[in-house]
Amino acid sequence: MKFGGTSVADGERISHVCNLIDKYLKQDNKVVVVVSALAGVTDELLRASNLAGKGEKEFIKKFVDELKQRHLNTCKKAVKEETVRRAVEETIKDTLLELENVLVGVAYLRELTPRIKDYILSFGERLSTPIVWGALKSMGVKTQWFTGKDAGIVTDSNFGSARPLMETTSHQVKSRLQKLLDEDVTPIVTGFIAADQNGVITTLGRGGSDCTASILGVALDVDEIWIWTDVDGIMTTDPKIEAKARVIPQISYAEAMEMAYFGAKMMHPGAIEIVMEKGIPIRVKNTFNPENPGTLITKEQKVESRSIVKAISLIRKAALITVEGAGMFGVPGVAAKIFSILGEKNINILMISQSSSEANISFVVPRDMLEDALNALEVKILGGNIAREIKAEDDICVIALVGAGMVGTPGVAARVFGAVGKEKINVRMIAQGSSELNISFVVKESDGEKAVKVLHKEFGLEK
Ligand code: ADP
Ligand code: ASP
Ligand code: MG
């Protein structure tokens, strides 16, 4: 069971979560718990690491103090037993002292490498997890907490979005956690963080606590992986955009992957990828509404007759780059060149489209990578006389429609663009995945939510 940031945002919510865990334990289940950082803490750590990297020191004391207050308050409300609470308080204070030292060090060095950033980001989960441990222990549950590293999760050294090395990980996790489970001890593991083969802390990418749950699930060969969050399950679209969004009771790995990949945010795509081979079902449930069955993600592709499109997602903060005048004959070579240049810079390409007539190539990247992408391309593509011009638009977003029902159904694209056109929304670029599980297109950021609503209605997804 993995609990996301909003599910452990404060002391009351942690008490609630621990009651839930206890309930399932009493029903004769064995549970491994994965905990995210308290809501918002990872974002704050990210901001702090960037400031420190620029050499700022003045903010550090206040920043660390505020984190201390928040975690101590949370601990006070959630951990009832006094001796346990003291132990948790000590851990919080020690951990924050370490954070303060690291931030000061970074500020003096004015150097923030991906490796140091991962180290700083790891503090959110290292602070939240002992509180959940204390709360559960206070309730009389036998339990022990681990960092991802101590639980045995080993990754490559791709800081910022490390991948698990599953052979070693499975072996280590089994030998460290299975024994506890056999003795009815409930292990609690920090989400998001692990270590590489040299023991250096890595993170699994933003939202990566979902991956931790999948990694542990696969290693321990569990019956089900439960992702507890703040909505009733995977929905037809983000309920924050469209209040009429519905819960999808069942969805295939492939469809859920497409949704997660296209920014549905509800789950990290890696979490699905990791379990696909073993076929362990994932259930997404709402901590605030635990009676709701939520969404079950499984291997099978159930095509419901009435839903051609199953869900619509919106990726915000994207940017569109167009390389023009690449010359008819050279196009394939140019595409390869562009992708290798961006690959070297670790820039993720979200979408690609190529027009054969004008020899233009367009692609979408995350907005915060735009500058890096343009710098690299200008030097190597323009400088190398490979293309005539590079254009960029930074106020765009991507809409993706996902559903197994689109496979072989003619006219879906016509319906999509007909509906969007009727609203006078200008479509800047279109792509269809070869799997036919998704159609995605680019519009102005300001048209994004409207496009989602129009399509949600067009495909009959409303409640
Ligand atoms: P957690 O902190 O539990 O990991 P996240 O914030 O990462 O939660 O993801 C849950 C959020 O994802 C929801 O609150 C919702 O706003 C958003 N979301 C976006 N698209 C969808 C979707 N199709 N179905 C459900 N939630 C979605
Ligand atoms: N705390 C991490 C993040 O905010 C991981 C997670 O919540 O899944 O990205
Ligand atoms: Mg998440």
Side-chain angles (χ1 to χ4, degrees):
M1 291 189 176
K2 172 257 173 178
F3 294 90
T6 35
S7 301
V8 294
D10 57 39
E12 271 161 35
R13 291 191 183 175
I14 289 181
S15 298
H16 171 65
V17 157
C18 289
N19 283 324
L20 270 178
I21 298 169
D22 192 40
K23 185 183 115 189
Y24 287 101
L25 286 172
K26 288 201 169 113
Q27 291 169 358
D28 242 11
N29 297 291
K30 290 188 190 290
V31 180
V32 178
V33 179
V34 172
V35 183
S36 287
L38 306 192
V41 169
T42 310
D43 286 330
E44 285 171 31
L45 289 166
L46 192 58
R47 266 196 301 277
S49 66
N50 287 327
L51 281 178
K54 289 184 184 130
E56 303 246 356
K57 297 185 199 72
E58 296 71 37
F59 80 97
I60 294 174
K61 193 126 205 107
K62 181 159 170 268
F63 170 73
V64 172
D65 266 353
E66 279 168 6
L67 275 185
K68 192 185 283 173
Q69 277 323 311
R70 178 164 176 200
H71 286 88
L72 288 178
N73 279 338
T74 304
C75 174
K76 195 168 157 193
K77 290 221 181 77
V79 185
K80 305 283 188 295
E81 181 79 37
E82 201 181 326
T83 47
V84 181
R85 188 166 64 233
R86 287 228 186 87
V88 177
E89 283 168 358
E90 283 312 304
T91 306
I92 292 171
K93 285 177 191 159
D94 290 348
T95 308
L96 283 168
L97 193 63
E98 184 183 332
L99 174 64
E100 186 171 344
N101 288 335
V102 175
L103 287 172
V104 170
V106 169
Y108 273 107
L109 293 169
R110 288 179 181 241
E111 187 179 21
L112 184 67
T113 61
R115 168 177 167 157
I116 296 173
K117 195 182 259 183
D118 271 7
Y119 180 29
I120 296 175
L121 292 190
S122 77
F123 281 86
E125 273 72 9
R126 288 170 60 195
L127 287 163
S128 63
T129 307
I131 303 178
V132 175
W133 168 81
L136 209 53
K137 195 173 167 66
S138 292
M139 292 168 59
V141 174
K142 282 196 282 177
T143 170
Q144 191 176 332
W145 82 276
F146 297 85
T147 62
K149 174 180 168 174
D150 294 340
I153 303 175
V154 184
T155 67
D156 59 21
S157 304
N158 187 13
F159 297 101
S161 59
R163 295 276 179 138
L165 306 174
M166 280 311 288
E167 284 300 318
T168 322
T169 298
S170 289
H171 179 73
Q172 297 202 113
V173 168
K174 246 186 281 173
S175 78
R176 293 177 198 183
L177 302 192
Q178 188 61 55
K179 191 169 68 241
L180 296 178
L181 287 167
D182 293 343
E183 291 163 2
D184 287 325
V185 178
T186 300
I188 307 184
V189 183
T190 58
F192 184 50
I193 59 178
D196 71 3
Q197 285 165 302
N198 300 317
V200 180
I201 291 182
T202 55
T203 68
L204 304 168
R206 293 306 306 272
S209 296
D210 300 333
C211 301
T212 306
S214 289
I215 293 167
L216 297 177
V218 166
L220 295 166
D221 199 14
V222 299
D223 299 320
E224 286 192 4
I225 294 162
W226 286 20
I227 305 291
W228 288 95
T229 183
D230 59 351
V231 289
D232 278 340
I234 297 181
M235 307 185 73
T236 49
T237 194
D238 188 341
K240 285 169 194 147
I241 297 174
E242 175 54 86
K244 290 180 187 150
R246 275 189 297 117
V247 179
I248 304 170
Q250 194 267 337
I251 192 167
S252 68
Y253 290 141
E255 290 169 311
M257 272 275 272
E258 299 270 350
M259 282 182 76
Y261 178 74
F262 280 104
K265 190 180 167 245
M266 44 91 201
M267 195 183 292
H268 192 294
I272 301 158
E273 208 183 332
I274 291 162
V275 302
M276 273 172 108
E277 199 186 321
K278 261 216 165 150
I280 300 172
I282 301 178
R283 209 179 274 280
V284 184
K285 282 175 74 77
N286 189 350
T287 348
F288 305 104
N289 187 16
E291 299 313 319
N292 192 302
T295 299
L296 186 63
I297 313 175
T298 52
K299 222 171 212 158
E300 313 80 61
Q301 198 113 257
K302 266 207 231 152
V303 183
E304 295 164 34
S305 55
R306 58 176 288 247
S307 59
I308 300 168
V309 170
K310 208 169 245 181
I312 303 167
S313 36
L314 175 64
I315 315 180
R316 299 173 200 269
K317 296 194 180 130
L320 178 64
I321 301 177
T322 303
V323 176
E324 287 192 340
M328 279 299 265
F329 303 112
V331 172
V334 175
K337 190 112 197 166
I338 290 172
F339 302 143
S340 73
I341 292 168
L342 298 181
E344 270 167 37
K345 298 264 164 202
N346 255 327
I347 296 169
N348 187 13
I349 301 175
L350 299 168
M351 222 176 129
I352 304 160
S353 149
Q354 189 172 322
S355 73
S356 50
S357 60
E358 290 181 37
N360 291 347
I361 301 171
S362 302
F363 46 92
V364 176
V365 298
R367 196 174 299 156
D368 57 5
M369 301 247 153
L370 178 62
E371 235 179 78
D372 281 354
L374 288 177
N375 280 336
L377 289 170
E378 276 169 1
V379 173
K380 298 211 171 139
I381 296 284
L382 291 184
N385 268 333
I386 293 166
R388 199 177 57 235
E389 200 178 352
I390 298 173
K391 286 183 179 161
E393 288 173 49
D394 68 356
D395 60 341
I396 58 119
C397 59
V398 179
I399 316 280
L401 294 91
V402 174
M406 293 196 297
V407 179
T409 308
V412 180
R415 259 178 92 184
V416 171
F417 300 113
V420 173
K422 229 187 274 164
E423 296 296 319
K424 308 231 169 354
I425 295 171
N426 187 23
V427 175
R428 303 282 304 109
M429 171 182 164
I430 302 169
Q432 176 164 22
S434 56
S435 64
E436 282 191 55
L437 282 179
N438 94 69
I439 295 176
S440 40
F441 60 94
V442 170
V443 297
K444 283 242 175 281
E445 182 97 68
S446 52
D447 287 332
E449 296 206 354
K450 189 164 156 203
V452 168
K453 285 182 188 223
V454 167
L455 292 169
H456 196 258
K457 186 159 183 211
E458 170 67 28
F459 286 96
L461 297 176
E462 299 181 323
K463 272 203 265 229

